Amino acid sequence: MTRRATIVGTGAALPPRRVTNDELAARVDTTNEWIVERTGIEARHIAGEGETTATLATEAARKALAAAGVAPQQIGLIVLATATPDQTFPASATIVQTALGIDDCIAFDVQAVCTGFLYALSVADNMIKGGMADYAIVIGAETFSRILDWEDRATCVLFGDGAGAVVLKAEDGERGILATRLHADGRHNELLYVDGGPSTTGTVGKLRMKGKEVFRHAVVNLADVLSETLEAAGHRPEEVDWVVPHQANKRILDATAKKLGLAPEKVIVTVNEHANTSAASVPLALDVAVRDGRIKPGNLLVLEAMGGGFTWGAAVVRY
Ligand code: UT7
């Protein structure tokens, strides 16, 4: 029997404040039509006072634990993917740990921007396979609204806040994470970055992006890593029940699915309501489709993401 990490519960959290495109158009030189046509985004959720990456992550983790029927004390590992932690240090994962009432477990953050959840999932999967923990919580949580330049219409309309989480359990059998593949290419730093940091400016900085160039790389890299990961898992694209992609732009989702010959109706789309929530987008989309009954036990899933670094990656999961 093979020891695998299986997803036994999902959860999500969105700040209650929903901001429409029209609301943004009243603040910057943009229109609802431009945003919908170029991105598919209709609205996003924005964190309010007292809402942080760690509070959203904790809410998502609580819901995932409840769905799994797992008690916080059973958790041996928390991996939190975020590029917008509450503090430069300590890791926001330790804030979540304390909020969940866990006295001792492994807890750390992973930083791979929009690919963060795939990196975190892969790390947790390998730690579970290696026997470091029997139960883990993997979270993607972000408050990108706090690092946006609200004067820059080319970026501020694209992002939102939120969190998604999964509970992983070590099990012997056919279900679980079958394969993960991760990549990074640091030569593209200047296409998507934040212009500040503790060791350079001593400030948090604002997000900067050359969207068109990122778009071009995204479709190629995502199609490549999806093929690579499916092959590693011993599956063909036509066997996939659901694609759970990073939600940056509806046109990227469509172009990637087309390149791989995947039916568009197999792609989970939440970018219209969530916008781009960076590391939170994949687990948020997963939770939506699990809770509305589209994703069922036994389904073959592919999760994928691409973002700053560049980083990109995918996971093939028997749910
Ligand atoms: O999650 C990390 C990965 N990130 C991504 O995957 C994002 C990838 N990129 C994209 O999604 C798209 O490139 C964008 C949505 C960012 C931009 O769409 P685009 O079709 O590539 O537009 P563009 O950047 O070429 O801009 C076209 C025009 C420009 O005007 P000119 O120069 O043609 O006169 C922009 O100034 O649209 C203008 N523009 C806007 N107009 C109205 C840019 N932002 C806006 C806006 N409202 N918000």
Side-chain angles (χ1 to χ4, degrees):
M1 287 294 232
T2 311
R3 182 178 161 99
R4 293 191 202 281
T6 55
I7 297 176
V8 291
T10 67
L14 290 165
R17 173 135 164 69
R18 180 178 180 271
V19 177
T20 62
N21 293 342
D22 282 335
E23 210 176 315
L24 288 184
R27 290 167 58 174
V28 288
D29 181 17
T30 190
T31 59
N32 176 52
E33 291 69 31
W34 190 94
I35 301 171
V36 170
E37 190 187 306
R38 300 289 179 122
T39 70
I41 297 166
E42 292 162 26
R44 72 285 294 140
H45 290 254
I46 300 292
E49 209 179 315
E51 288 169 331
T52 68
T53 291
T55 66
L56 293 167
T58 301
E59 186 185 336
R62 278 208 182 100
K63 289 179 181 163
L65 285 167
V70 169
Q73 289 70 28
Q74 291 174 270
I75 297 298
L77 167 68
I78 300 172
V79 190
L80 169 53
T82 189
T84 48
D86 283 26
Q87 297 160 281
T88 302
F89 79 82
S92 294
T94 61
I95 304 174
V96 174
Q97 176 203 16
T98 300
L100 293 176
I102 303 170
D103 293 334
D104 184 20
C105 73
I106 306 165
F108 60 95
D109 291 357
V110 161
Q111 215 281 48
V113 205
C114 299
T115 319
F117 184 76
L118 271 303
Y119 268 72
L121 192 70
S122 181
V123 167
D125 175 39
N126 281 290
M127 289 179 75
I128 284 177
K129 281 187 196 145
M132 297 278 281
D134 290 331
Y135 288 93
I137 305 174
V138 182
I139 311 165
E142 303 277 17
T143 42
F144 261 46
S145 64
R146 307 250 156 88
I147 57 162
L148 293 176
D149 175 352
W150 287 99
E151 313 266 286
D152 177 16
R153 68 174 184 175
T155 54
C156 75
V157 303
L158 303 174
F159 294 90
D161 301 333
V166 299
V167 173
L168 299 179
K169 180 186 180 193
E171 282 183 336
D172 294 326
E174 303 301 316
R175 288 175 66 213
I177 298 169
L178 305 182
T180 58
R181 289 294 183 270
L182 304 173
H183 294 275
D185 182 351
R187 288 173 297 178
H188 302 293
N189 185 305
E190 82 290 354
L191 297 181
L192 179 49
Y193 66 102
V194 165
D195 62 5
S199 186
T200 49
T201 58
T203 61
V204 173
K206 298 288 180 209
L207 182 148
R208 307 290 170 204
M209 177 166 74
K210 297 201 173 90
K212 218 181 220 356
E213 283 88 338
V214 178
F215 190 111
R216 234 172 0 94
H217 284 276
V219 176
V220 175
N221 290 345
L222 289 171
D224 284 353
V225 77
L226 279 173
S227 300
E228 178 194 4
T229 317
L230 276 167
E231 196 178 321
H235 286 287
R236 297 185 309 278
E238 53 273 26
E239 293 175 275
V240 172
D241 293 302
W242 294 105
V243 184
V244 188
H246 172 49
Q247 311 281 325
N249 186 323
K250 177 74 165 56
R251 290 190 291 138
I252 296 179
L253 307 191
D254 294 342
T256 310
K258 195 169 170 202
K259 212 161 190 286
L260 280 178
L262 291 161
E265 54 278 10
K266 288 184 171 181
V267 181
I268 306 294
V269 180
T270 53
V271 69
N272 53 321
E273 271 300 314
H274 299 165
N276 183 344
T277 57
S278 183
S281 89
V282 170
L284 264 168
L286 178 67
D287 184 65
V288 165
V290 165
R291 283 175 195 265
D292 71 19
R294 276 178 289 174
I295 294 179
K296 296 185 177 60
N299 280 172
L300 190 69
L301 315 181
V302 287
L303 283 47
E304 48 96 324
M306 139 97 193
F310 291 147
T311 53
W312 64 104
V316 175
V317 177
R318 177 68 70 188
Y319 183 70

